Amino acid sequence: MPQAHSYYCDGEWVDSDSGETFAVRNPANPDDVVAEFPKVTVEETERAIEAAVDAQEAWASTPGPERGAVLRRAAALLDERSEAVTETLTREEGKALPEARGEVGRAVDILYYYAEKARDLGGDVKASSSAETTLRTSVEPLGTVGLITPWNYPIAIPTWKLAPALAAGNTVVLKPASMAPTVARELTDCLAEAGLPDGVLNVLTGSGSVVGSTITEHEDVDAVSFTGSSSVGSQVGETAAATGKRVQLEMGGKNPTAVMPSADPAEAARIVADGAFGVTGQACTATSRAIVHTDVYDEFVDALVEEAESKELGPGLDGYGMGPQVSADERESTLDYVEVGESEGATLETGGGVPAEPRHETGHYVEPTVFSDVDSEMRIAQEEIFGPVVGVIPVGSFEEAVDVANDTEFGLAASVVTDSLGEAERFGDRVDAGVIKVNEKTTGLELHVPFGGMKASSSETYREQGDAGLDFYTTTKTRYINY
């Protein structure tokens, strides 16, 4: 029997009045029900928001080092349980064990990082133009914040929103994604056992149209941070802004890697394959376009096909390096884009179908897919696919590569593979993306530097992670004291 979970409100796990539940299924074996969670109602969401509001003043007045100590204890608890949480993450989301293990470790590191940052939130002293005036700033929390998080990084993304919010003294209402909420429950247990006061964190499961909309519209929620699709993010942003909330949106991407003539084609293909097929292509920073100079184009395509065909697909818990997509709908969407690419005239070099080994019969698997002869105007070069599909676009110059890289509505991550320092620097200057990499895959982020996109990839309001991650959750007062 799958474990039946409750939702978390005011320090307690509570059964929903609705009596309705939803099942979380293993993408590698959909008959395996990992857990069941309640569909929380509007009224229950409102009670959770009220609990957060009631707890906020006391939490905000708790000294920063004490708030940090709670995060530090939670990090230690999560670290102790990391292998069990890793297996749960793989079972409910589908990614390979090393990928899941890295994600859990990332969550641990984020908690430790913001535990120390909580000591530094006092403000600054500035020199006044008056000899009789002290001039200083103080940093204060916004109040109660709503966090809406996706399924593809179901513990890392909630943690990188939660940790700075809590470190700064805010209370939180969190809605994790319904396809992978179990690890958010594990994170919540660690924070509760670490001494987080009742009401400071509330975790609600259910539909976006009920829970997410209530959080976004509620007058007592001071800010909303959302990560997910561009279509949903735009709706969240409009609704939250209409009620005067501070808004942070991180959304889709159509991330390019440009490969220049000085690059080693085999090494460039490895970089692109890691970015395109890691986490089954289900990352907003995944490489989906390889923009390749004609001088190395044919060699690159051959090497990328070899990389794609070397991937071993199967259940993450059985040790395979690439898992299934998270759901049947996600797989069908990817397969639909394969048909679109073929209909548009791109050449399907490899993949594009469902693997046929016995271990693939029950899961939502898609073969790593490479298209060549892709034109920048094609849908597969413009629209986010969110699966293991990469299109290779030929270009004749560095300048054309930059133009093609910028030729989408998105601007999240971009990379260039080159031995030319000048090309590397010019690429960073001219490409419209929030994350620029040189001789690296587009995926993978350091936790202590800002992360966010441009154009339709982001609200372009506040960055996440690092010191910038605290800016969204705080406001500043300037104090003039004439003595």
Side-chain angles (χ1 to χ4, degrees):
M1 290 290 293
Q3 184 172 358
H5 293 291
S6 306
Y7 73 95
Y8 191 67
C9 178
D10 203 12
E12 296 182 344
W13 292 102
V14 184
D15 293 330
S16 175
D17 295 337
S18 74
E20 297 183 64
T21 63
F22 62 91
V24 179
R25 297 179 181 273
N26 183 345
N29 177 14
D31 291 334
D32 174 23
V33 179
V34 178
E36 291 184 347
F37 282 86
K39 293 183 177 180
V40 173
T41 66
V42 170
E43 293 75 20
E44 290 165 333
T45 305
E46 290 173 341
R47 286 203 293 271
I49 293 170
E50 182 181 350
V53 171
D54 289 345
Q56 202 278 319
E57 184 176 352
W59 181 241
S61 64
T62 301
E66 289 188 31
R67 297 196 298 263
V70 173
L71 298 182
R72 193 177 304 108
R73 290 193 293 270
L77 289 167
L78 183 59
D79 195 25
E80 289 173 7
R81 303 169 190 179
S82 61
E83 279 306 303
V85 177
T86 292
E87 291 185 11
T88 298
L89 198 163
T90 290
R91 190 172 164 220
E92 74 171 351
E93 196 273 344
K95 64 183 59 174
L97 273 174
E99 295 169 340
R101 188 173 293 112
E103 182 178 345
V104 175
R106 171 67 166 239
V108 171
D109 290 344
I110 290 167
L111 288 168
Y112 276 128
Y113 176 81
Y114 284 108
E116 300 310 313
K117 285 294 176 183
R119 298 176 181 272
D120 297 332
L121 292 172
D124 298 312
V125 176
K126 300 293 185 179
S128 172
S129 58
S130 169
E132 296 181 346
T133 300
T134 298
L135 190 61
R136 64 183 176 89
T137 65
S138 60
V139 177
E140 298 182 0
L142 292 179
T144 294
V145 300
L147 310 180
I148 301 173
T149 60
W151 50 262
N152 61 327
Y153 288 95
I155 194 166
I157 292 178
T159 305
W160 83 43
K161 293 180 187 292
L162 263 175
L166 296 175
N170 298 278
T171 54
V172 174
V173 181
L174 167 66
K175 184 210 170 303
S178 295
M179 282 191 281
T182 313
V183 287
R185 155 104 200 205
E186 302 279 0
L187 174 63
T188 304
D189 282 339
C190 290
L191 285 161
E193 291 179 37
L196 193 70
D198 295 350
V200 172
L201 171 61
N202 305 271
V203 181
L204 309 176
T205 55
S207 72
S209 61
V210 175
V211 179
S213 294
T214 304
I215 291 171
T216 304
E217 295 169 1
H218 201 285
E219 62 181 7
D220 288 334
V221 174
D222 299 293
V224 173
S225 178
F226 168 90
T227 298
S229 70
S230 296
S231 58
V232 176
S234 297
Q235 296 173 8
V236 168
E238 289 176 8
T239 303
T243 51
K245 294 174 175 54
R246 185 177 288 187
V247 180
Q248 179 183 62
L249 307 174
E250 291 302 335
M251 299 176 286
K254 194 65 183 171
N255 311 292
T257 293
V259 180
M260 294 293 98
S262 61
D264 179 292
E267 177 65 11
R270 183 193 63 76
I271 290 170
V272 169
D274 287 349
F277 307 134
V279 295
T280 319
Q282 298 176 132
C284 56
T285 55
T287 308
S288 57
R289 297 180 295 151
I291 303 168
V292 183
H293 196 282
T294 52
D295 287 358
V296 292
Y297 186 85
D298 291 340
E299 292 176 81
F300 173 85
V301 171
D302 289 345
L304 184 59
V305 168
E306 185 176 345
E307 289 283 346
E309 293 177 348
S310 72
K311 302 297 181 186
E312 293 191 353
L313 280 67
L317 292 176
D318 292 343
Y320 289 95
M322 180 174 163
Q325 296 211 243
V326 75
S327 69
D329 287 346
E330 290 293 329
R331 179 176 68 175
E332 288 309 306
S333 175
T334 299
L335 295 175
D336 286 346
Y337 271 110
V338 172
E339 292 185 6
V340 168
E342 291 184 290
S343 70
E344 290 181 316
T347 301
L348 180 61
E349 295 283 351
T350 190
V354 176
E357 296 293 328
R359 66 180 181 271
H360 304 132
E361 290 178 357
T362 59
H364 309 307
Y365 295 97
V366 176
E367 295 168 329
T369 301
V370 177
F371 278 103
S372 64
D373 305 318
V374 175
D375 186 273
S376 188
E377 295 182 359
M378 293 179 179
R379 286 180 59 195
I380 61 169
Q382 291 292 325
E383 299 175 13
E384 185 176 39
I385 297 175
F386 225 67
V389 179
V390 60
V392 188
I393 304 171
V395 293
S397 67
F398 173 80
E399 289 71 20
E400 186 182 359
V402 170
D403 290 342
V404 171
N406 286 334
D407 185 27
T408 74
E409 65 176 329
F410 299 106
L412 186 53
S415 71
V416 61
V417 186
T418 179
D419 283 346
S420 167
L421 179 60
E423 287 178 343
E425 290 294 334
R426 293 201 306 276
F427 188 86
D429 290 341
R430 293 174 54 187
V431 170
D432 299 329
V435 176
I436 301 290
K437 295 189 172 185
V438 177
N439 299 328
E440 291 189 15
K441 61 184 179 179
T442 54
T443 53
L445 304 167
E446 296 274 2
L447 64 86
H448 59 291
V449 290
F451 168 68
M454 301 170 68
K455 301 192 289 190
S457 292
S458 173
S459 56
E460 297 194 67
T461 48
Y462 293 86
R463 294 304 196 214
E464 296 191 287
Q465 305 198 95
D467 288 327
L470 291 161
D471 293 342
F472 176 72
Y473 299 103
T474 57
T475 189
T476 302
K477 289 180 179 176
T478 303
R479 303 179 182 229
Y480 296 75
I481 304 170
N482 189 315
Y483 52 85

